[in-house]
Amino acid sequence: MFHRLAMEVTIRLRPFHALLTMALLVASPAAAQQTLPAVDGPSGKVMFIHGGTGGNNWTGLEGAVTLPLGQRFGLQLDGAAGGLDGSLGKSAFYGTGAHLFWRDPSTGMVGVEAGYARLDAGGGINTYSLGIEAERYWNSITLAGLVGLTDASGATYATALRHDLSTHFVAGASLTWYPDDNLALTASGAVSGGHVVAGIGVEWALTSTSSAQPSLFARAALHQGGDVTALAGLSIYFGGQPKPLIRRHREDDPTIGNVMGAGIKGGIGFTIGAICKFRAHGDDPCHRP
């Protein structure tokens, strides 16, 4: 009798055992992914960029270094410098920024970022930015967003310009699809005060078996009023283990968005775009009769 009872209990528990086994099989990969650190060791990237907007062209160098802070946090330091030539004359620009973030490479990221950029043209324009950024990962899709403030109230070019570049609320979002682990296609949009920008981008990385991995990228942004910002360049990722582009983006360096962003934050693209909004003013360097 005891043997029959044991058999009945075993039969009744079989569906539960099967369900439990399936749950463990599904959960195991997720649990393994969740053990990945926020930053897979010290890493960084260097970007060689050429771009233009509003009759002005610039060439520059941008880079970042990212460091792990324990298992779940990371710190990224950004920097950029270059030269501008066009309707604003010849000018230097440079900037720096930092990101402090929490990240789980299987789920997403949330952090704070701050940046500073200076354009020597027009008597000197200093732009500061502070914001909260977040990313959410679903297989080959990344949804990213940013909200914050930019301030360029120290601009000395013109009274109207100082007013336009005073403190503004900014918000931006982007959707990136990886049809291949080494190919990223991005669509984005942003608002900064009364300045609206929509953009697209592409980045393709060469397969690499070393810790250094090159990629080619291009971006374009359409500003309110019809101005277009376009840029292209070469990135070189370094540090960490050999990995495809999608993992570089999620395990190493977050996107640089606060130094030379094409209109997303207070960078060279946004600053020039804001200046060129004043074509109706006779003293506007971007004015075209």
Side-chain angles (χ1 to χ4, degrees):
M1 182 174 181
F2 177 79
H3 180 69
R4 180 183 300 175
L5 179 62
M7 289 181 63
E8 290 179 358
V9 171
T10 301
I11 292 173
R12 290 179 181 180
L13 287 179
R14 279 178 181 172
F16 174 77
H17 288 161
L19 183 61
L20 179 61
T21 301
M22 290 176 62
L24 290 174
L25 289 174
V26 171
S28 295
Q33 288 182 347
Q34 290 173 0
T35 63
L36 292 175
V39 180
D40 185 21
S43 59
K45 57 176 169 262
V46 177
M47 305 167 68
F48 304 89
I49 300 174
H50 179 74
T53 186
N56 296 276
N57 298 312
W58 71 82
T59 300
L61 180 67
E62 188 177 35
V65 174
T66 304
L67 302 171
L69 299 177
Q71 178 73 6
R72 279 287 159 257
F73 291 90
L75 174 66
Q76 176 172 305
L77 302 177
D78 307 329
L84 172 76
D85 190 9
S87 59
L88 295 177
K90 292 187 177 182
S91 172
F93 64 85
Y94 45 89
T96 186
H99 308 247
L100 178 63
F101 58 91
W102 173 97
R103 180 168 62 186
D104 181 342
S106 68
T107 304
M109 180 196 77
V110 61
V112 294
E113 62 85 17
Y116 164 75
R118 177 175 174 81
L119 177 66
D120 287 342
I125 301 171
N126 298 308
T127 305
Y128 304 89
S129 66
L130 178 66
I132 299 173
E133 56 188 350
E135 296 179 350
R136 183 68 170 91
Y137 312 135
W138 293 282
N139 297 321
S140 61
I141 299 293
T142 295
L143 176 64
L146 180 148
V147 294
L149 298 172
T150 60
D151 178 84
S153 55
T156 60
Y157 180 75
T159 302
L161 180 59
R162 281 202 302 270
H163 175 74
D164 187 70
L165 292 183
S166 60
T167 302
H168 285 312
F169 170 80
V170 297
S174 66
L175 182 67
T176 301
W177 174 44
Y178 298 86
D180 180 84
D181 284 353
N182 280 317
L183 177 64
L185 305 176
T186 301
S188 62
V191 177
S192 180
H195 193 75
V196 180
V197 181
I200 57 174
V202 58
E203 182 176 6
W204 173 68
L206 282 70
T207 302
S208 175
T209 58
S210 71
S211 60
Q213 182 177 28
S215 75
L216 300 173
F217 64 88
R219 304 170 193 161
L222 176 63
H223 298 252
Q224 181 180 355
D227 287 318
V228 176
T229 297
L231 59 86
L234 168 69
S235 291
I236 299 177
Y237 296 88
F238 58 88
Q241 304 174 5
K243 62 185 67 173
L245 184 65
I246 185 172
R247 291 183 57 196
R248 292 279 184 186
H249 289 170
R250 297 178 178 181
E251 299 175 18
D252 296 341
D253 308 284
T255 302
I256 299 176
N258 57 6
V259 178
M260 288 173 54
I264 302 302
K265 288 285 287 182
I268 186 69
F270 169 76
T271 302
I272 297 174
I275 293 173
C276 292
K277 286 177 65 179
F278 288 89
R279 291 199 178 109
H281 295 267
D283 57 354
D284 174 17
C286 294
H287 173 66
R288 292 193 290 269

